[in-house]
Amino acid sequence: MEFPTVGAHCDSASCQSLDFLPFQCTFCQHTFCSNHRLPADHACTNWSMESHANSVQVCPLCEQLLLTPKRHDPATILKEHLEAGCDKNLHNLPKVQSIAVLCALPKCNRRDRVVQTCPDCSQTFCLPHRQPPDHNCPKIEERKRATEAEVARRQEIKDTIARKLTGSTTSTTGMTTTTTTTGSVLTPEEKQAQAKVKALAAKAAIAEAKAKIAARISSTMSPTGTTTTSSATVTTPAKPTVKKASRVVTVMKIKKTAVGEDKIPISSRVYVYIRSPVFPHLDDKSVYVDKTWTVGRSMDKIVEWLKITVPNNEPFDAQKRFSIFHAKELDDTPTILNMQDRLQQITTVESGDVFFLAPADWSWPTK
């Protein structure tokens, strides 16, 4: 009802339905819906099976199918077929050609729809005989001879290279090995022995170099710390050397237990240890903050994450304000950070450092 001008009504007396995509019969020129569009569906008066379609009938004698073309009389076709003595070539329905292909192997009469053509002999075979050895392909011997020739050529090149490289003399400490060639190739045992000789020579060279270095060190430095020079001998006390942990290792240890917000970008994170003379239980804590934050915001976040209560500072006293002290190592003297400065502006602050949480008037104890 919404689109009265779109489409057309079916001309079939029993339908009369509105169809938006109607069909027009090519014989009677009437309009029909999709259910009555065929001539047989609407009893078309201008169409008949004999006039507009081929038909098939069965011969009563030979029981063969006879094709009656359109606009031909079936009785006339049958009469002509019987008068010709049921000739198979007269009016018989043509046989449908099968798409199955006969295997090219003489002893195989198999027909398959799925076949394969041999790339060597270009003949078509069924799947059981598709491989060259299965159908005795004549190109097998030719390909085999070509493969053997290629293998022989490569082996000849290898032998030539081996003859040119084996005529060398290898000398080691305490032994000399000479290898000469007279056109013969080294056996695997000889190659293994030659490799052992080279390994021993390398070990001997390394040991000799180590001995020279040890002798040079012992000649210039005594065990008590005496250094010998060309002009004088200076005795210095031996100082114990303490190796500080690498900064990378320190940061990796902090990352295992650091507390922070997941939304902080990884590239902006600064990992630090937390120490506090007011809260001794924080000595094993670590956090990561955003380098774009100010020192004051970083302290507020640290206090929130570690769930600590800052001492009351009422009335406000700048000397007692809770602040962050920064140090590179635990043994270094910490310095107080300005609350308004951003961490990325403080060039000395980096991952692996130590933050001390204490009042602004706190001083580092002297040892």
Side-chain angles (χ1 to χ4, degrees), residues 186-206:
L186 291 178
T187 61
E189 291 78 7
E190 292 175 347
K191 292 182 180 179
Q192 186 176 4
Q194 190 176 18
K196 289 183 178 180
V197 170
K198 292 182 180 180
L200 292 175
K203 289 182 180 180
I206 294 174

Side-chain angles (χ1 to χ4, degrees), residues 7-12 17-39 41-42:
H9 289 273
C10 181
D11 289 341
S12 178
S17 62
L18 177 62
D19 198 317
F20 292 104
L21 296 174
F23 296 86
Q24 187 178 23
C25 180
T26 57
F27 301 101
C28 62
Q29 303 301 321
H30 288 285
T31 302
F32 299 95
C33 63
S34 59
N35 296 328
H36 302 100
R37 61 185 180 85
L38 297 179
D41 297 333
H42 61 266

Side-chain angles (χ1 to χ4, degrees), residues 5 10 19 37 58 73 85 93 101 112 118 126 149-150 183 188 199 243 258 294 302 305 322 332 349 361:
T5 59
C10 181
D19 198 317
R37 61 185 180 85
V58 181
D73 184 15
L93 183 67
V101 180
D112 285 334
C118 178
C126 60
E150 180 65 17
K243 295 183 178 180
T294 60
I302 294 173
W305 296 336
F322 216 64
D332 297 342
V349 176
D361 59 353

